Amino acid sequence: MLVRQARLVPIGGRAAPVVDSWPVDLRIEGGRVTEIAPVLSPYAGEQVIDAGGRWAIPGLWDAHTHPVMWALTQRRIDLIGVTSAAETVSRVRDHLHGIPAGDGLVLGYGHRSATWSAPPTVAELDAVTGDRPVVLASGDGHNGWLNSAALRLLGLPSRAGALAEEEWYAAYPRLEALDPDSADPTEALRDANTAAHAKGVVGIVDFEFGSSFRTWPERVARGLDSMRIRAATYADDLEQVAELGLRTGDPLVPGHDLVTMGPLKVISDGSLNTLTAWCCDPYVGADHLEHPRGLPNLPVEDLTRIMLRAKEIGLTAAIHAIGDQAVAATLDAFEASGQSGSMEHAQLVRWDDVPRLARAGITASVQPAHALDDRDVSEQWWGDRTDRLFALRSMVDAGVTLAMGSDAPVAPLDPWLAMAAAVHRSGDDRPAWHPEQAITGAEALAASTDGQGTVREGSRGDVVLLDADPLRAFGDHEGSGEQAAYLRRMPVAATLVAGRLVHSTL
């Protein structure tokens, strides 16, 4: 592949190198950039793309996804933005009126009940669904609201309210087995990959429940071979990984190095919207909660033991920690085990733990768009500590490496939305929320490119051509809603993965 006349965008945050603004030619061979020069002559039979002076960046990554869940949510009842149980039930009723009668499973996704005046009940859902099984997955992925028919279908006892945390995680594989799209998500994934490539995404870290390292070889055989995948495992499959001799970074498909073994994933605490994130102090007005400070999913000693075992067999670790107590405990486990890897979310942090993250060399795998979704619920439940939420500026200044993602389907798989949220921290007409924790557009872009830096000889052959300069100077408007809107509208002209054209509007 020869890319003609592309402008190289300097990648590296505040320390970005100075690069020539004149267009250059790029040659990609064997999945790597092998030559960069003002003019390169094409080889016989070489595919040529004329960038026409467009801006070239390394391929974008989403460092935290659940791709099957994301793909399938595009085919389910959209509950994003509902403000009450009554509004949710109304959407479910309208959906049921618009589909054929029957007893097939109906699925919805996206509601967030933490700010509702009362928690959802099975009886409310039963009132509009009858014997049709209905399952509504929450927007944070940590609970599911089922009607009685769905509880019976999954072999679960009657209950008054939603399933949460471990109960929900245990039920989810049974749910997938009953859903035809879940049983074979190939086409849904194909559509999702196509949409992601159109955003400039070349790679994702897959944290799907069920240890997706087992499923990707078959998916590649079915033609899902255009995306770089790092497929994680959960602790219950560690010994199978050990038996297979897989280490983080090993190819999962012979002859296809785009799909590799990822890290161990452990969910150490809950989430804010489910009111289970483990905190140092009680939630505001939490007297009625069974666990006013949230709770851990496992003792730190067990977390450390699991991380040590993963290290022994060659896996890095990716540990979910949302509450500040969970962040501190996860740091303890990283330090005690000597593991390397990432802390997923690092949403609420104690100030003393930010330099600890940097000293330990742990990547903060963050999802800036959650700051938009969680703004109101955070003010309600963590109103006395929101200055320590999504502390991206403090992390960058302390030397913490950021890797940005979406946690799709919790937020859309859209790196430009994540970058916009990181620089402006508002998703509506309100002023930026704690703007002191915003980072620059250059820093956000650097945190979205998997550490690749400016495209150069020896880079991966993952190149994205943009119709606009992603680092356009905004002067006094840096960090403004204007800049955020500019990033969200960023036009992607072409996406190449290992020199293969996977998206083009050229």
Side-chain angles (χ1 to χ4, degrees):
M1 172 72 74
L2 180 64
V3 180
R4 285 193 177 278
Q5 298 302 284
R7 300 177 191 272
L8 302 183
V9 175
I11 306 295
R14 289 180 173 176
V18 176
V19 298
D20 196 327
S21 62
W22 293 102
V24 295
D25 291 355
L26 311 172
R27 172 164 283 124
I28 303 173
E29 298 176 285
R32 291 278 173 181
V33 177
T34 57
E35 291 183 86
I36 298 178
V39 178
L40 293 171
S41 299
Y43 296 153
E46 187 172 41
Q47 186 177 359
V48 178
I49 291 177
D50 186 358
R54 289 176 174 83
W55 287 262
I57 61 172
L60 300 175
W61 275 72
D62 191 309
H64 190 125
T65 71
H66 302 270
V68 172
M69 293 175 68
W70 166 241
L72 295 180
T73 57
Q74 310 309 299
R75 303 180 176 206
R76 296 178 176 175
I77 306 172
D78 181 7
L79 301 176
I80 295 173
V82 294
T83 58
S84 66
E87 184 181 355
T88 305
V89 167
S90 177
R91 288 200 193 183
V92 172
R93 181 177 56 242
D94 291 346
H95 178 83
L96 293 176
H97 285 165
I99 63 174
D103 57 2
L105 183 65
V106 174
L107 300 167
Y109 171 80
H111 66 284
R112 294 170 180 268
S113 59
T115 58
W116 295 357
S117 58
T121 67
V122 172
E124 290 172 289
L125 207 49
D126 285 349
V128 300
T129 57
D131 291 330
R132 187 79 177 250
V134 174
V135 177
L136 310 178
S138 67
D140 66 357
H142 282 249
N143 70 76
W145 182 10
L146 284 64
N147 69 350
S148 293
L151 290 169
R152 290 193 297 270
L153 182 65
L154 294 175
L156 298 170
S158 299
R159 59 187 301 120
L163 301 177
E165 302 298 347
E166 296 301 327
E167 282 186 301
W168 172 237
Y169 302 151
Y172 198 82
R174 282 176 278 164
L175 172 64
E176 286 188 317
L178 295 168
D179 174 30
D181 283 335
S182 296
D184 183 8
T186 303
E187 293 310 311
L189 281 168
R190 198 184 312 278
D191 291 344
N193 282 354
T194 297
H197 290 323
K199 297 285 187 181
V201 177
V202 302
I204 62 172
V205 182
D206 180 353
F207 289 126
E208 201 75 53
F209 298 123
S211 297
S212 60
F213 73 92
R214 290 194 299 256
T215 54
W216 274 105
E218 182 179 349
R219 291 172 185 168
V220 170
R222 294 185 179 190
L224 295 174
D225 60 354
S226 66
M227 185 76 77
R228 291 190 187 272
I229 308 290
R230 292 183 188 137
T233 185
Y234 284 78
D236 52 358
D237 283 315
L238 268 183
E239 296 313 313
Q240 182 182 3
V241 173
E243 289 174 10
L244 294 171
L246 291 171
R247 301 169 65 89
T248 296
D250 287 350
L252 294 177
V253 181
H256 182 78
D257 62 1
L258 299 187
V259 177
T260 60
M261 186 68 213
L264 161 75
K265 171 71 182 297
V266 180
I267 302 176
S268 78
D269 73 335
S271 74
L272 169 59
N273 280 277
T274 307
L275 305 181
T276 48
W278 189 26
C279 301
C280 298
D281 301 301
Y283 289 70
V284 175
D287 295 343
H288 66 289
L289 296 179
E290 181 181 359
H291 302 285
R293 297 193 301 119
L295 70 168
N297 288 335
L298 72 173
V300 68
E301 297 80 12
D302 290 351
L303 177 60
T304 303
R305 175 181 52 78
I306 294 168
M307 292 170 68
L308 276 168
R309 178 56 179 152
K311 182 182 178 183
E312 288 173 355
I313 66 175
L315 297 184
T316 59
I319 312 300
H320 162 122
I322 289 183
D324 52 358
Q325 186 65 64
V327 168
T330 296
L331 278 166
D332 291 342
F334 267 109
E335 291 168 352
S337 65
Q339 254 287 19
S340 59
S342 62
M343 183 181 296
E344 303 300 315
H345 311 302
Q347 190 162 329
L348 177 66
V349 297
R350 303 183 307 186
W351 294 127
D352 289 348
D353 287 331
V354 174
R356 286 181 70 198
L357 270 169
R359 287 195 300 270
I362 300 166
T363 296
S365 176
V366 296
Q367 301 77 42
H370 291 2
L372 314 183
D373 297 330
D374 286 354
R375 180 171 183 166
D376 294 327
V377 68
S378 296
E379 290 290 352
Q380 176 175 336
W381 293 104
W382 287 345
D384 56 348
R385 66 206 85 165
T386 56
D387 58 318
R388 299 186 278 115
L389 271 169
F390 305 100
L392 306 188
R393 174 81 273 145
S394 295
M395 290 181 187
V396 170
D397 288 348
V400 177
T401 298
L402 299 185
M404 298 205 320
S406 63
D407 200 7
V410 180
L413 204 165
D414 181 352
W416 301 105
L417 170 62
M419 285 184 255
V423 303
H424 181 51
R425 296 175 69 94
S426 180
D428 49 35
D429 293 335
R430 289 179 289 181
W433 188 44
H434 290 291
E436 72 278 4
Q437 289 299 339
I439 58 176
T440 68
E443 290 164 337
L445 181 59
S448 304
T449 54
D450 197 44
Q452 283 300 284
T454 307
V455 175
R456 65 195 184 283
E457 291 183 4
S459 293
R460 295 177 197 150
D462 304 340
V463 178
V464 175
L465 300 177
L466 305 173
D467 287 330
D469 179 3
L471 300 186
R472 171 187 153 190
F474 278 82
D476 292 340
H477 295 283
E478 176 75 19
S480 66
E482 178 186 352
Q483 184 185 17
Y486 176 79
L487 288 170
R488 291 187 69 164
R489 294 193 302 265
M490 183 59 57
V492 175
T495 304
L496 289 80
V497 177
R500 172 186 173 187
L501 188 64
V502 296
H503 165 76
S504 177
T505 61
L506 296 172

